[in-house]
Amino acid sequence: MSTVAPADRERASILRLRGVERHFNEGASRLTVLSGADFDLYPGELVALAAPSGAGKSTLLQIAGLLEKPDEGEVIIAGRAAGKLSDADRTAIRRVQIGFVYQFHHLLGEFSALENVVIPQLIRGLSKPVATQRAMQLLNYMRVKERASHRPSELSGGEQQRVAIARAVANAPRLLLADEPTGNLDPTTAGYVFDGLTRLVRASKLGALIATHNHDLAARMDRRITLQGGKVVELE
């Protein structure tokens, strides 16, 4: 069950999709992926996006993360309508408000775990001492602080993904979007990674939308949604 009281939801929504449409032309045919999709995500909430391959999970995440524009409808991030903004404005919102975690960690191989978490903060304009202190706090929170000086190739798969999560939230975003973040991990390691992610979401009041095929992890989240006929549908 969601941690946000119903009366607070209208005010508290971090991500709101309203009437989102996304279509692709394939020769003379038109493929509809999203058709009037509506969805709300709230602070401190983890929502599992569980749908078959090809149902549109990645498209939904791309649109929610302002990486792709909807053909129709609106995407509202922390109260700001963002679906139709310029590319520059959308990039500015992504840099501050949204963190991304993917199935593959995409850490920079030539840098240490600590440096991978520091770099996004430097790009945003924080000083190196401040960025380093926050990076160490996040690595400690994800229980990989003792691996801070190690490069990605020296880390296990679970450690790499925990560093990737720390990097994703380094700039204190309001929204976290994850696409199969434990897809390459064994069940035990996936559980450790998910536990760390849950701690971060609860403590920071992030809203997290997580696409996953892992039914056990999906069952541990506050809500589960799927895509049917291009619409977002709540699962029991």
Side-chain angles (χ1 to χ4, degrees):
M1 181 177 294
S2 174
T3 57
V4 180
D8 294 334
R9 287 187 162 187
E10 186 71 16
R11 174 183 58 81
S13 178
I14 288 174
L15 168 66
R16 178 172 296 170
L17 304 182
R18 285 295 178 266
V20 169
E21 304 268 343
R22 190 70 175 104
H23 312 280
F24 297 94
N25 293 320
E26 296 184 344
S29 301
R30 190 189 203 200
L31 174 64
T32 295
V33 178
L34 299 175
S35 178
D38 295 326
F39 175 66
D40 288 272
L41 181 69
Y42 308 100
E45 182 179 49
L46 293 104
V47 175
L49 173 56
S53 297
K57 295 192 303 295
S58 294
T59 298
L60 183 68
L61 289 175
Q62 293 277 96
I63 289 175
L66 306 183
L67 294 169
E68 192 173 319
K69 289 186 178 182
D71 295 314
E72 299 291 341
E74 189 54 89
V75 181
I76 302 168
I77 307 290
R80 182 180 182 186
K84 299 178 178 65
L85 294 175
S86 69
D87 289 344
D89 286 341
R90 289 154 62 86
T91 297
I93 292 174
R94 281 199 307 273
R95 186 177 296 126
V96 175
Q97 299 281 13
I98 306 173
F100 297 90
V101 182
Y102 300 98
Q103 182 172 351
F104 300 99
H105 57 78
H106 297 302
L107 297 174
L108 300 174
E110 64 271 32
F111 295 100
S112 69
L114 176 64
E115 290 167 333
N116 267 277
V117 183
V118 165
I119 288 171
Q121 300 177 74
L122 297 182
I123 292 172
R124 186 177 175 184
L126 272 67
S127 68
K128 189 171 183 179
V130 171
T132 299
Q133 181 181 27
R134 175 166 172 77
M136 288 300 291
Q137 290 172 341
L138 288 170
L139 291 175
N140 183 53
Y141 212 76
M142 294 302 297
R143 298 180 180 173
V144 284
K145 181 179 179 180
E146 71 283 358
R147 308 290 278 168
S149 63
H150 290 70
R151 293 186 179 185
S153 62
E154 300 171 313
L155 304 175
S156 70
E159 289 169 341
Q160 291 170 347
Q161 202 63 321
R162 280 183 275 172
V163 173
I165 292 170
R167 179 185 59 183
V169 301
N171 284 330
R174 302 282 305 281
L175 170 64
L176 183 67
L177 301 172
D179 194 356
E180 296 289 350
T182 63
N184 288 329
L185 306 175
D186 65 81
T188 299
T189 304
Y192 291 145
V193 171
F194 180 76
D195 288 343
L197 176 58
T198 301
R199 286 194 300 271
L200 273 178
V201 168
R202 301 300 192 216
S204 62
K205 299 302 182 183
L206 275 166
L209 178 60
I210 303 170
T212 181
H213 283 107
N214 188 318
H215 297 295
D216 291 335
L217 293 186
R220 295 170 58 187
M221 299 190 210
D222 299 308
R223 287 189 289 143
R224 295 182 302 138
I225 61 171
T226 190
L227 291 167
Q228 294 179 359
K231 299 184 184 299
V232 176
V233 177
E234 295 271 350
L235 293 170
E236 292 296 330

